Amino acid sequence: MESNSRRVSKFKKICVFCGSHPGHRKVFSDAAIHLGNELVNRKIDLVYGGGSVGLMGLISQRVYDGGCHVLGVIPKALVPIEISGEPVGEVKVVSDMHERKAEMARVAEAFIALPGGYGTMEELLEMITWAQLGIHKKPVGLLNIDGYYDSLLTLFDKGVEEGFIKPSARHIVLSAPTANELLTKMEEYAPFDDNVAPHESWQMEQLGTYPTERNT
């Protein structure tokens, strides 16, 4: 059950990766709306892929209707495909997918993946990789609705077992079956410090770091 009480989070903006399709089952649409409710309850603004269709459209509309800011970042080529009717909130059109991910990563203080397809998983895995490399120190969470990401999490465990993923790096990925549980875990996250290279060496200060407190 999702929380109905309003609370202030240490996060000001969270990036949500999710599908431009709703999926075949209502549980996924419900999850997008519940996550949107939880962001509104915690007064967290949304950064997302800019579409108005699928799970993207559901969560962006819910957060916008709840009075929080919505920033959509979308490549020019996808505007006629993923935006149907009036856009939701602020939309920033960029040149390509690389610029889209970089902008979302720069602006957001944490990342959540709802169920989605190849694009969602690619964005998720890049943020996990960047955390491992030391490019950012922000939490990355999987909203594992009805076990959607069970197989992916098992693959990560297999990577540890076979020596391709460090046990410490496995803890980069947070997961929970509900938005409330996941956001609570993310609030308590201790930044990964066994990086491949020091955070400072990447010279990407614009990506920021993990927020330790919320300015109110």
Side-chain angles (χ1 to χ4, degrees):
M1 182 179 294
E2 302 300 328
S3 170
N4 292 319
S5 60
R6 295 185 71 89
R7 54 175 292 186
V8 177
S9 170
K10 70 172 61 176
F11 303 119
K12 296 179 181 178
K13 298 178 182 179
I14 288 182
C15 176
V16 175
F17 304 126
C18 58
S20 58
H21 297 279
H24 291 314
R25 293 189 291 140
K26 185 174 180 289
V27 66
F28 301 124
S29 297
D30 289 345
I33 293 170
H34 290 160
L35 177 56
N37 286 337
E38 198 63 41
L39 294 180
V40 170
N41 289 341
R42 296 173 185 245
K43 302 179 182 178
I44 301 172
D45 294 335
L46 173 68
V47 181
Y48 82 117
S52 61
V53 294
L55 299 188
M56 285 197 291
L58 289 172
I59 188 171
S60 60
Q61 192 65 58
R62 179 64 199 97
V63 173
Y64 182 78
D65 289 345
C68 292
H69 186 261
V70 173
L71 171 63
V73 185
I74 187 168
K76 184 177 180 180
L78 293 182
V79 169
I81 299 168
E82 294 188 352
I83 296 182
S84 175
E86 289 296 317
V88 180
E90 178 185 356
V91 176
K92 182 171 184 176
V93 179
V94 296
S95 61
D96 55 37
M97 295 294 285
H98 297 291
E99 188 178 352
R100 179 196 221 178
K101 287 182 291 187
E103 179 64 14
M104 290 192 294
R106 183 186 69 82
V107 173
E109 297 171 340
F111 309 95
I112 292 176
L114 277 163
Y118 290 142
T120 299
M121 295 181 197
E122 187 270 339
E123 291 166 331
L124 165 72
L125 288 168
E126 184 149 7
M127 292 307 107
I128 294 170
T129 302
W130 285 12
Q132 179 179 255
L133 290 172
I135 295 174
H136 74 75
K137 295 181 177 290
K138 304 172 183 181
V140 181
L142 276 173
L143 191 49
N144 191 22
I145 301 302
D146 203 26
Y148 182 79
Y149 282 116
D150 281 355
S151 296
L152 183 60
L153 292 167
T154 299
L155 179 61
F156 294 158
D157 292 334
K158 185 67 172 177
V160 174
E161 179 185 333
E162 298 292 353
F164 292 103
I165 298 173
K166 289 183 179 180
S168 58
R170 174 63 180 85
H171 297 296
I172 291 171
V173 186
L174 305 173
S175 65
T178 70
N180 183 41
E181 291 175 76
L182 183 59
L183 284 163
T184 298
K185 283 186 176 183
M186 294 172 74
E187 294 271 2
E188 298 169 352
Y189 174 76
F192 178 68
D193 60 6
D194 188 17
N195 308 115
V196 173
H199 177 63
E200 296 76 15
S201 70
W202 290 100
Q203 297 182 347
M204 297 180 73
E205 293 85 355
Q206 70 271 22
L207 289 185
T209 188
Y210 180 71
T212 55
E213 61 182 25
R214 174 71 179 265
N215 295 322
T216 57

